Amino acid sequence: MANRGGGDTVNAMWKSLIAVSALLAVSGNALAASAVNNDTDPRTLIVTEGSSKRELTLGPGETVEFCPNGCFVTMPNGDLEALTGSETIEISGGVARVR
């Protein structure tokens, strides 16, 4: 009897499904807010995630990613913004803007 090929199609499909699921889970964490300091002086943001609060200091020209799961950010002028994790904060002239 001739073998028609195909092998273990069900097993291969499960392996593919697991690989795609793992890739999506990892890439889901890739979204994060970012902050860009276009000033020549360092600037500090205060980031609150859940019950944790920390200072995030950006050097001149520095860009950082943070807040992958949403957070609150206190801007250099004291304004408070809620972020979902996909925004960019641009700091220029000491003023921060969410984009």
Side-chain angles (χ1 to χ4, degrees):
M1 181 174 242
N3 186 354
R4 295 189 183 260
D8 190 356
T9 305
V10 172
N11 193 23
M13 287 175 49
W14 274 110
K15 286 180 182 179
S16 296
L17 180 62
I18 291 169
V20 169
S21 297
L23 181 61
L24 288 175
V26 170
S27 67
N29 291 336
L31 292 178
S34 61
V36 180
N37 182 7
N38 295 321
D39 286 347
T40 57
D41 295 321
R43 301 293 179 197
T44 301
L45 303 172
I46 299 174
V47 180
T48 305
E49 294 180 85
S51 61
S52 173
K53 185 183 268 190
R54 65 184 171 102
E55 288 188 359
L56 179 64
T57 302
L58 289 86
E62 186 177 9
T63 300
V64 295
E65 287 190 356
F66 65 104
C67 188
N69 299 313
C71 62
F72 291 96
V73 176
T74 304
M75 306 295 191
N77 68 352
D79 287 349
L80 182 66
E81 294 283 339
L83 304 180
T84 62
S86 61
E87 301 86 352
T88 298
I89 297 173
E90 294 180 1
I91 303 170
S92 184
V95 177
R97 292 177 185 86
V98 178
R99 307 216 186 258

